[in-house]
Amino acid sequence: MLGTPTLGLEAKLFAAQTLRNKIILGVSELGEQGALSLRDSMVGHLRGARGGAQALITQLCLGLADLAVQVGAWTDPFGDMAGMFLSDAQSVSCLLEFLAVLPEEFLNERVVVDGAYYSQRSEALLGQRAGDVIKLLVQCLQQPDLHGDAHTRVLVCFTSWLRHGDITLLMVQDTPLVALAFAALAEDGDVFDTAVDALCGVLYETREDRDDDAQTARAKDTMVEQLEQRLAATAALMRKASEIDEERMQGLCRVFTEAGEAWMDRIVQNVGQFEAVVSAL
């Protein structure tokens, strides 16, 4: 069904969702070679869906992510997908969608795997690849033919990996990803919401921990300084705005509240440095 050009979107969506359910519930019945053959088929369908309906792309990426989680014989999902989907803007959009849903599927309670295997697979696919994902996201931002929607997908992917806990401040501090999130606060709808989620995730990572080593502590100090300056500028714009709609204000309040909670000890010790954040709160 997925390979039939004349078939409508609803039918293809149904086929993709059905296939994903079969992967979640019975991929072990296929054996390793059968699962890898199914992966190749789904990659082909994803390539055919480039530039088409986002809902179909998402369903195919979810199915591939569920295969990646469960099939140990697929040794390098990141490398394989990056190798096949970095050729043009439409392909990159598919790659970013796959990378965005991959951490989420490790948390999908319907995907049942052995505890020891889960830990090993999570470390191999996420922990060991987080740095490579950051490099890829930065590479996407630097490509002149990628803008607008692709930049939003970069932010979605960044946020997804942040939530899972695989990205560290050391990976992020010298990249344009935080600046991208702040710039997206000027957008509307889902883009704004994603920017808020990303910034809250970064702010959470700046919380002081007595077990931090010297390098991590320095990275947190550097990031706090950068974030504080950007938050001060954001607070100034909020004060100058004639009106801000309720949903936008709620999102901005989330960001400043997260900053206040993450930096509570810092604020107590040096309230003057964080005057803009305190005033906004």
Short mmCIF file of all heavy atoms in Angstrom, two decimals, residues 35 76 107 113 116 127-129 131 175 177 198 216 239 241 249 261 265 270:
data_model
loop_
_atom_site.label_atom_id
_atom_site.label_comp_id
_atom_site.label_asym_id
_atom_site.label_seq_id
_atom_site.Cartn_x
_atom_site.Cartn_y
_atom_site.Cartn_z
N ALA A 35 13.94 -8.36 10.00
CA ALA A 35 13.82 -7.01 10.53
C ALA A 35 14.64 -6.01 9.73
O ALA A 35 14.20 -4.89 9.45
CB ALA A 35 14.26 -6.99 12.00
N ASP A 76 24.10 0.80 13.60
CA ASP A 76 24.38 2.23 13.58
C ASP A 76 23.25 3.02 12.90
O ASP A 76 23.44 3.54 11.80
CB ASP A 76 25.70 2.50 12.86
CG ASP A 76 26.17 3.94 12.98
OD1 ASP A 76 25.59 4.70 13.80
OD2 ASP A 76 27.10 4.34 12.25
N LEU A 107 11.41 5.93 25.40
CA LEU A 107 10.54 6.13 26.56
C LEU A 107 9.12 5.63 26.32
O LEU A 107 8.27 5.78 27.19
CB LEU A 107 10.51 7.62 26.92
CG LEU A 107 11.87 8.27 27.22
CD1 LEU A 107 11.70 9.77 27.47
CD2 LEU A 107 12.53 7.61 28.42
N VAL A 113 11.39 -4.05 26.00
CA VAL A 113 12.65 -4.76 25.82
C VAL A 113 13.25 -5.07 27.19
O VAL A 113 12.87 -4.47 28.20
CB VAL A 113 13.66 -3.92 24.99
CG1 VAL A 113 13.17 -3.73 23.57
CG2 VAL A 113 13.92 -2.57 25.65
N ALA A 116 18.46 -4.85 30.73
CA ALA A 116 19.89 -4.75 30.42
C ALA A 116 20.10 -4.34 28.97
O ALA A 116 20.97 -3.53 28.66
CB ALA A 116 20.57 -6.09 30.71
N GLY A 127 23.49 7.91 24.02
CA GLY A 127 24.60 8.43 24.80
C GLY A 127 25.87 8.62 23.99
O GLY A 127 26.53 9.67 24.07
N GLN A 128 26.21 7.62 23.17
CA GLN A 128 27.44 7.69 22.39
C GLN A 128 27.30 8.53 21.13
O GLN A 128 28.30 8.82 20.47
CB GLN A 128 27.92 6.28 22.03
CG GLN A 128 28.32 5.44 23.22
CD GLN A 128 28.73 4.04 22.84
OE1 GLN A 128 28.98 3.72 21.67
NE2 GLN A 128 28.80 3.16 23.83
N ARG A 129 26.09 8.89 20.79
CA ARG A 129 25.86 9.63 19.54
C ARG A 129 25.41 11.07 19.77
O ARG A 129 25.23 11.83 18.81
CB ARG A 129 24.81 8.91 18.69
CG ARG A 129 25.37 7.71 17.92
CD ARG A 129 26.45 8.15 16.96
NE ARG A 129 26.72 7.17 15.92
CZ ARG A 129 27.54 7.37 14.91
NH1 ARG A 129 28.18 8.53 14.82
NH2 ARG A 129 27.73 6.45 13.99
N GLY A 131 26.92 13.74 20.89
CA GLY A 131 27.84 14.73 20.33
C GLY A 131 27.75 14.82 18.83
O GLY A 131 27.82 15.92 18.25
N THR A 175 27.93 26.43 20.36
CA THR A 175 27.09 26.24 19.17
C THR A 175 26.04 27.36 19.09
O THR A 175 25.77 28.05 20.08
CB THR A 175 26.37 24.89 19.22
OG1 THR A 175 25.29 24.96 20.19
CG2 THR A 175 27.32 23.76 19.61
N LEU A 177 22.88 26.89 18.86
CA LEU A 177 21.57 26.31 19.15
C LEU A 177 20.78 27.12 20.17
O LEU A 177 19.56 27.30 20.04
CB LEU A 177 21.74 24.86 19.62
CG LEU A 177 22.23 23.89 18.54
CD1 LEU A 177 22.66 22.58 19.15
CD2 LEU A 177 21.12 23.67 17.50
N ALA A 198 12.95 24.09 24.71
CA ALA A 198 14.40 23.99 24.55
C ALA A 198 15.12 24.81 25.61
O ALA A 198 16.07 24.34 26.26
CB ALA A 198 14.82 24.43 23.15
N THR A 216 32.78 20.66 34.11
CA THR A 216 31.33 20.84 34.05
C THR A 216 30.91 22.12 34.75
O THR A 216 30.04 22.86 34.27
CB THR A 216 30.63 19.63 34.70
OG1 THR A 216 30.99 18.43 34.00
CG2 THR A 216 29.12 19.80 34.66
N ARG A 239 9.02 44.39 28.53
CA ARG A 239 8.56 45.64 29.15
C ARG A 239 8.15 46.67 28.09
O ARG A 239 7.24 47.48 28.32
CB ARG A 239 9.66 46.19 30.04
CG ARG A 239 9.87 45.41 31.33
CD ARG A 239 10.75 46.18 32.31
NE ARG A 239 12.10 46.33 31.80
CZ ARG A 239 13.09 45.46 32.03
NH1 ARG A 239 12.84 44.38 32.76
NH2 ARG A 239 14.30 45.68 31.56
N ALA A 241 6.97 45.98 25.06
CA ALA A 241 5.84 45.54 24.23
C ALA A 241 4.53 46.15 24.73
O ALA A 241 4.26 46.18 25.94
CB ALA A 241 5.74 44.01 24.25
N MET A 249 2.80 34.99 27.03
CA MET A 249 3.25 35.38 28.37
C MET A 249 3.45 34.15 29.25
O MET A 249 4.40 34.08 30.02
CB MET A 249 2.23 36.33 29.00
CG MET A 249 2.65 36.80 30.40
SD MET A 249 4.24 37.66 30.40
CE MET A 249 3.76 39.24 29.66
N GLU A 261 14.47 29.01 39.37
CA GLU A 261 14.65 27.78 40.13
C GLU A 261 16.06 27.21 39.96
O GLU A 261 16.67 26.74 40.93
CB GLU A 261 13.61 26.74 39.70
CG GLU A 261 12.18 27.13 40.08
CD GLU A 261 11.15 26.12 39.59
OE1 GLU A 261 11.55 25.22 38.82
OE2 GLU A 261 9.98 26.24 39.97
N ASP A 265 20.47 29.58 44.13
CA ASP A 265 21.64 29.82 44.98
C ASP A 265 22.50 30.95 44.43
O ASP A 265 23.01 31.78 45.19
CB ASP A 265 22.47 28.54 45.10
CG ASP A 265 21.76 27.47 45.92
OD1 ASP A 265 20.84 27.83 46.68
OD2 ASP A 265 22.12 26.29 45.80
N ASN A 270 24.39 36.65 44.67
CA ASN A 270 24.74 37.84 43.88
C ASN A 270 23.50 38.34 43.15
O ASN A 270 23.38 38.21 41.94
CB ASN A 270 25.85 37.51 42.89
CG ASN A 270 26.40 38.75 42.20
OD1 ASN A 270 25.95 39.87 42.45
ND2 ASN A 270 27.35 38.55 41.31
#
